[in-house]
Amino acid sequence: MASRRSILSSILGISLAALLLGAGCQRQSSTTAPGPEPGQKPAQQSAAPAPAPPVSDAAPNELGRVPVLEYHVIGPKEGRWARTPEAFRKDLETLYAHGFRAVSLRDYVTGNINLPRGASPVVFTFDDSTEGQFRYLEKDGQLVIDPDCAVGILEEFNRKHPDFGFKATFYVLPESAFGQPQYRKQKLQYLAEKGLEIGNHTWSHTALKRLSNEKVQEELARPQQAIGEVVPNFRFFSLALPLGISPKEKALASKGAWNGITYEHHAVLLVGSVPAPSPYDKDFDPRAIQRVQATDWPEVKPFQLSAQIKTLVETENRRYVSDGDPNTIAVPAALKDELAPERTQGKEVKIY
Ligand SMILES: [Zn+2]
């Protein structure tokens, strides 16, 4: 769990002004648009599949922000660090209705966001591998995923809305990994098989700043070894810093070795604040990715999830909206100076 102090320090680093930008902008429709216009060329037989229909009529903005949502406990009581199954389902419904679609953290960080036109990416992350995130139940002699745990809820939502995307990253504490020690191996293997990401959250959830360089590397390499023993060919892609606190030697959060075990994190995540910059934005820093606390707890005002989503969708040019073409980067003219030329990966930039 993160401390109040660490949240406060994250929050203090963020400009409130960003949240308070023009509230009077037009709300964007999220209804599904009809198919191709009359008179449009029919798809050629040998051509690639026709593009998916637009998800909304929101103007493309691939320099907009992306909410990386941070969940902790999924359980019966709402709290500072807890979301009920009902509230989590409601989050999914709200996001879906606003045109958000789940992308993996890896695809966000590498700028591989392949969504239909008018859709906005959202990244789901779960810290601490508590049981409510992934629980097995025995039912009629069969092992089933609890429909009220996060994985069960995500599965069910994707059955109902297959275009939403079954994507999330679980920042696992390797020893306790989702409680139920008898199913630990099965759960980790399930995540890997389904393409859900397993992220590093250290071995013992210690504030890395307090540790020597050697201890930091031990904290980060031991999980690599432990998960690797269960999931073949496993390599971490990302780290969520416990309590959002970096080691003294910051570079060790990204890369290091201990006892012959190496680790490399291509993304390092902080504790919650506001939606993160587009991967093509010059402010994007994969070593310090901001997250949004998935809570409506009164104490975190004005950073509550529902308020942040509202701001994101109602503020002009604020959120990332796909143009439906993964080979181009659609940039509103007002944001063109925010583009980092070295991050465009040779994609064509289209200014609107
Ligand atoms: Zn944690």
Side-chain angles (χ1 to χ4, degrees):
M1 301 277 170
S3 69
R4 279 183 64 183
R5 197 173 149 198
S6 69
I7 294 302
L8 194 62
S9 60
S10 304
I11 285 172
L12 287 175
I14 303 304
S15 162
L16 262 176
L19 279 172
L20 300 172
L21 280 173
C25 303
Q26 223 181 4
R27 202 184 177 94
Q28 290 155 338
S29 154
S30 61
T31 51
T32 305
E37 297 284 321
Q40 208 172 11
K41 264 201 273 179
Q44 287 170 1
Q45 276 181 339
S46 60
V55 165
S56 79
D57 59 5
N61 173 17
E62 293 178 335
L63 271 192
R65 286 186 172 256
V66 177
V68 179
L69 304 187
E70 176 186 348
Y71 288 88
H72 285 83
V73 171
I74 301 291
K77 263 180 90 177
E78 197 73 4
R80 173 67 188 84
W81 300 104
R83 202 84 171 130
T84 63
E86 294 70 34
F88 181 43
R89 286 191 187 96
K90 197 160 166 273
D91 294 343
L92 299 179
E93 294 286 358
T94 304
L95 289 161
Y96 186 77
H98 280 302
F100 286 92
R101 300 293 181 264
V103 300
S104 69
L105 182 84
R106 181 188 294 261
D107 284 346
Y108 159 58
V109 168
T110 56
N112 180 37
I113 300 174
N114 192 358
L115 292 178
R117 187 181 174 96
S120 295
V122 57
V123 178
F124 290 93
T125 68
F126 295 84
D127 284 17
D128 304 341
S129 53
T130 44
E131 194 180 316
Q133 294 175 8
F134 191 176
R135 183 184 294 111
Y136 278 119
L137 301 175
E138 280 178 33
K139 206 176 163 190
D140 307 326
Q142 295 263 30
L143 213 52
V144 295
I145 294 175
D146 179 358
D148 280 335
C149 75
V151 171
I153 292 168
L154 280 169
E155 270 196 339
E156 171 62 23
F157 195 79
N158 275 277
R159 270 194 292 273
K160 219 163 98 185
H161 303 288
D163 61 329
F164 185 66
F166 190 48
K167 314 270 167 125
T169 303
F170 291 86
Y171 290 96
V172 166
L173 298 171
E175 280 185 301
S176 57
F178 308 108
Q180 298 185 301
Q182 69 276 33
Y183 305 133
R184 176 180 171 275
K185 188 174 172 184
Q186 199 168 340
K187 289 180 183 182
L188 293 171
Q189 288 177 347
Y190 169 94
L191 295 178
E193 279 161 21
K194 295 286 180 180
L196 296 167
E197 295 176 48
I198 300 170
N200 200 345
H201 201 38
T202 73
W203 184 256
S204 61
H205 206 275
T206 310
L208 295 176
K209 195 178 177 177
R210 296 199 203 113
L211 305 180
S212 67
N213 287 350
E214 199 200 341
K215 269 282 175 200
V216 167
Q217 293 174 89
E218 180 181 341
E219 279 288 330
L220 297 175
R222 281 182 77 182
Q224 174 61 58
Q225 181 180 38
I227 309 288
E229 281 167 3
V230 178
V231 179
N233 306 316
F234 176 78
R235 294 296 293 169
F236 281 119
F237 178 81
S238 64
L239 160 72
L241 290 166
L243 319 173
I245 298 173
S246 297
K248 280 175 284 205
E249 182 87 38
K250 272 195 169 181
L252 290 179
S254 299
K255 210 171 170 176
W258 169 80
N259 223 10
I261 305 152
T262 62
Y263 63 86
E264 185 170 7
H265 304 127
H266 305 277
V268 177
L269 278 62
L270 305 174
V271 168
S273 56
V274 295
S278 154
Y280 314 119
D281 191 304
K282 61 187 182 190
D283 288 338
F284 175 72
D285 182 358
R287 293 156 305 175
I289 294 179
Q290 298 157 334
R291 291 191 284 175
V292 172
Q293 289 284 323
T295 176
D296 282 330
W297 201 238
E299 216 178 274
V300 302
K301 229 171 175 178
F303 295 96
Q304 290 162 311
L305 175 61
S306 41
Q308 296 229 44
I309 297 299
K310 191 170 186 289
T311 305
L312 194 57
V313 300
E314 291 184 358
T315 308
E316 192 176 18
N317 290 337
R318 179 83 177 147
R319 69 159 150 167
Y320 187 113
V321 179
S322 176
D323 68 351
D325 182 349
N327 300 314
T328 61
I329 301 175
V331 177
L335 297 184
K336 67 180 192 329
D337 293 341
E338 306 306 315
L339 184 74
E342 73 279 9
R343 294 195 186 280
T344 58
Q345 308 166 23
K347 296 179 187 191
E348 186 191 346
V349 177
K350 285 190 173 171
I351 313 272
Y352 284 77

